[in-house]
Amino acid sequence: MNGLDNISNKILEEAREQANAILADADRQAAEIKAKAAEDAQRELEEGRRAIEARRADLAEKARLSASLEHRRLLANARQEMIGQAFSAALDRLIHLPDEQYRHLLVSLAEQALADGEGGELLFNERDRAAHGEAVVSALNAKTLSGKISQVSGSVQEVVDTVRRGSLPTLGTIRESFRSAADGLSAGKLVSLSDDCAAIPGGVVIRRGKIELNCSLDVSVRMLSESMSFMVSQLLFPEGE
């Protein structure tokens, strides 16, 4: 019995030692797994923090760029509006010039369009037709007649100068002088005041049959705005603010 007991005790002792070794190894592995899990968790946490920080920085930069673009857009719109207001103010000042200056402006606008000497009907808005229509037509026709008279006088003067020099003008010279005089009388058609009114804020419209030359003030100012916007912008915003 003692021998069997010794063997049994030996077996039990070895079993306990193996069990303790297994438990110790299990505890070690568990500790390693726990440490690795903690390390992985910390690493993932740090990576998450870096990703969040990068995302936050990216969103902040996008927000900054978006705000900058919006600011530029609003500033450009504000500048454009101010430039438009400058031209609108100029148009309003032209429309409300003193009568004499305004009439001179109407004559100048019409003269530019009538430079080809073809004449035409003049259309004004209702107010300008009543206040300036007849006077503008008279001024333009007076200038046209003055030009005709000057050309005829020049042709006649050539004949007179020839006689004064003691020589008789040739038949060809006389014919040429009369032809020049006739050309002078036929050149430069007169203008007339139309019975119609034009739907314009100011200025004049010249009608030639189915063709109308728009010399209204709003069109003239708009055409100037296309070529002068940069200059006006430089005056309004000299430092590009």
Side-chain angles (χ1 to χ4, degrees), residues 10-55:
K10 187 66 174 176
I11 292 172
L12 290 174
E13 184 178 353
E14 288 180 356
R16 279 195 293 270
E17 289 178 355
Q18 289 180 0
N20 291 334
I22 291 171
L23 290 174
D25 186 60
D27 289 340
R28 179 183 60 77
Q29 291 182 15
E32 290 178 354
I33 292 171
K34 183 178 179 181
K36 187 176 185 304
E39 182 181 344
D40 291 344
Q42 183 64 29
R43 183 175 64 253
E44 290 179 2
L45 179 61
E46 292 298 326
E47 290 177 353
R49 287 175 178 172
R50 286 194 295 269
I52 291 172
E53 181 62 25
R55 179 61 176 167

Side-chain angles (χ1 to χ4, degrees), residues 8-185:
S8 296
N9 291 335
K10 187 66 174 176
I11 292 172
L12 290 174
E13 184 178 353
E14 288 180 356
R16 279 195 293 270
E17 289 178 355
Q18 289 180 0
N20 291 334
I22 291 171
L23 290 174
D25 186 60
D27 289 340
R28 179 183 60 77
Q29 291 182 15
E32 290 178 354
I33 292 171
K34 183 178 179 181
K36 187 176 185 304
E39 182 181 344
D40 291 344
Q42 183 64 29
R43 183 175 64 253
E44 290 179 2
L45 179 61
E46 292 298 326
E47 290 177 353
R49 287 175 178 172
R50 286 194 295 269
I52 291 172
E53 181 62 25
R55 179 61 176 167
R56 186 198 65 79
D58 181 60
L59 291 175
E61 179 63 13
K62 287 181 178 179
R64 186 190 67 80
L65 291 175
S66 179
S68 178
L69 290 174
E70 181 66 11
H71 176 263
R72 291 181 182 180
R73 186 186 69 80
L74 293 174
L75 183 59
N77 288 344
R79 287 181 176 179
Q80 195 61 41
E81 184 177 352
M82 291 182 67
I83 292 172
Q85 288 176 358
F87 283 105
S88 295
L91 174 60
D92 186 69
R93 289 184 63 183
L94 289 173
I95 292 173
H96 294 93
L97 282 172
D99 283 350
E100 185 177 352
Q101 295 181 35
Y102 185 68
R103 188 173 300 166
H104 179 73
L105 175 62
L106 293 176
V107 172
S108 297
L109 288 171
E111 275 186 321
Q112 293 177 20
L114 294 167
D116 58 4
E118 290 301 316
E121 287 184 291
L122 303 189
L123 287 79
F124 303 90
N125 62 32
E126 187 174 354
R127 183 201 64 185
D128 290 349
R129 187 183 189 282
H132 306 289
E134 293 288 353
V136 172
V137 168
S138 297
L140 291 169
N141 284 336
K143 290 188 177 185
T144 300
L145 289 173
S146 177
K148 290 183 178 184
I149 293 171
S150 296
Q151 191 165 349
V152 171
S153 298
S155 299
V156 174
Q157 188 64 43
E158 289 180 3
V159 177
V160 173
D161 290 342
T162 301
V163 173
R164 283 179 177 175
R165 287 194 297 268
S167 8
L168 293 176
T170 64
L171 183 59
T173 301
I174 294 175
R175 286 178 178 173
E176 183 61 32
S177 296
F178 277 109
R179 185 181 296 110
S180 297
D183 292 341
L185 289 173

